[in-house]
Amino acid sequence: MNERLPQYLHKPVQILWFGSDEFVLVITVIFVAVVLGGMLGWALVAGLLLFVPWLRTKPRGFIPHMAWRWGLVSFRNYPGPTQTRFFE
């Protein structure tokens, strides 16, 4: 009896055809592009069109972990991004 185990125990949240972190990024960039307008707004949309396919090549949770690495967010019970020595 051959059974396959899925990689994830539940399906990731998907809004339209974007993952949850992609959706937040897309909505934020479009909102800022509309507010700024002009060539800068179009440049943001063009950057988004290049960034989303690149982001899809990365594993789930890439954006929150990069934000942690840059020191923008902190995870509960998790060492800081500059921690190099651990004591048990």
Side-chain angles (χ1 to χ4, degrees), residues 3-15:
E3 294 291 329
R4 293 189 62 199
L5 247 142
Q7 183 178 4
Y8 304 109
L9 296 179
H10 56 83
K11 289 184 177 182
V13 175
Q14 190 171 4
I15 304 168

Side-chain angles (χ1 to χ4, degrees), residues 6-82:
Q7 183 178 4
Y8 304 109
L9 296 179
H10 56 83
K11 289 184 177 182
V13 175
Q14 190 171 4
I15 304 168
L16 296 176
W17 52 88
F18 298 112
S20 59
D21 53 347
E22 287 177 353
F23 183 74
V24 170
L25 180 69
V26 167
I27 294 299
T28 303
V29 168
I30 289 175
F31 178 75
V32 171
V34 167
V35 169
L36 293 176
M39 290 303 290
L40 184 58
W42 286 110
L44 284 173
V45 171
L48 181 67
L49 291 175
L50 295 173
F51 185 72
V52 168
W54 176 79
L55 182 63
R56 289 185 177 170
T57 64
K58 304 297 178 200
R60 275 175 62 188
F62 178 75
I63 292 178
H65 279 87
M66 286 307 293
W68 167 80
R69 186 171 202 142
W70 293 335
L72 301 175
V73 297
S74 61
F75 297 137
R76 201 174 70 222
N77 299 327
Y78 205 73
T82 58

